[in-house]
Amino acid sequence: EAQVTQNPRYLITVTGKKLTVTCSQNMNHEYMSWYRQDPGLGLRQIYYSMNVEVTDKGDVPEGYKVSRKEKRNFPLILESPSPNQTSLYFCASGPPGLGEQYFGPGTRLTVT
Amino acid sequence: GQQLNQSPQSMFIQEGEDVSMNCTSSSIFNTWLWYKQEPGEGPVLLIALYKAGELTSNGRLTAQFGITRKDSFLNISASIPSDVGIYFCAGRAELYNNNDMRFGAGTRLTVKP
C-alpha cells in the first residue's frame, strides 16, 4: 500500500530533551516536506527536500533540523524542544512537478 | 508569499444538503488542490486542478479552477455524516515548483443526521 508513515504518533517530552520524529514513504517520491498544524494557523511548512541531500527552510524552520540521506526517509529533529513547539506535525511527500502531496497520519507532540 | 483566504471557516448543515466553499488568492495560481482531514488523520487529497476553468468531480465532490486563476471552489452534493471533517484548499503560483504550495486555513464541516 502506498503510504507515508510517521513515528511516533504521540509524544510527550520535556523542554530541552532532544527528539526525532521519523518519516518514511514508499512511493519513490523525490519531494518531501514537514509541516506543523496549529489551531487557526493552518498548515505551515517547516523544512522541505527536493531530493536526496537537498534540503531547505520553509516558513517556520527555527528550532528544527532535517536530513535526507535516503530518498524514502526524512526525519525531523528537535535538538532542544521548547513548549512553543507543541503542535501536530505532518510529513508529506509528492512526485516532482504536479504539486500533489501525500500526508502521513501526523505526530502530536507536547513539550512541557 | 501569496495570501490564500478560505471561506467559510465552519459550516453546520443537515444531512442531504449541498455544501459550497471557496478559496481566493491575492495572485494568480497555476494549481489548485483540495484536501480533506478527518480527526486524528493527515489531509487526504480529494481533487487536483491544473487549468483555468477546469471542472473536476470525484463522486459527490466537484471542484472548479476559477477563470480568473485567483480562486477555486469545492461543492459537495447531498452531504452525508461521513463528510464531516476539515477541508483545505492549496494552491501554487509556480508551475512545476512543488514547494510553492500554500494552504488555506480550512473549512470545518459538521453534518447533522
Side-chain angles (χ1 to χ4, degrees), chain B residues 45-62:
Chain B
L45 182 64
L46 299 173
I47 294 177
L49 303 160
Y50 297 102
K51 198 172 167 185
E54 183 179 354
L55 188 72
T56 298
S57 292
N58 178 1
R60 292 177 296 104
L61 276 62
T62 301

Side-chain angles (χ1 to χ4, degrees), chain B residues 40-96:
Chain B
E41 298 182 14
V44 174
L45 182 64
L46 299 173
I47 294 177
L49 303 160
Y50 297 102
K51 198 172 167 185
E54 183 179 354
L55 188 72
T56 298
S57 292
N58 178 1
R60 292 177 296 104
L61 276 62
T62 301
Q64 183 162 25
F65 193 141
I67 288 291
T68 65
R69 296 177 132 191
K70 291 186 176 184
D71 55 12
S72 179
F73 305 88
L74 176 70
N75 296 315
I76 305 173
S77 63
S79 59
I80 58 178
S82 63
D83 289 334
V84 164
I86 303 174
Y87 292 80
F88 291 98
C89 62
R92 67 178 178 181
E94 293 182 34
L95 206 55
Y96 307 122

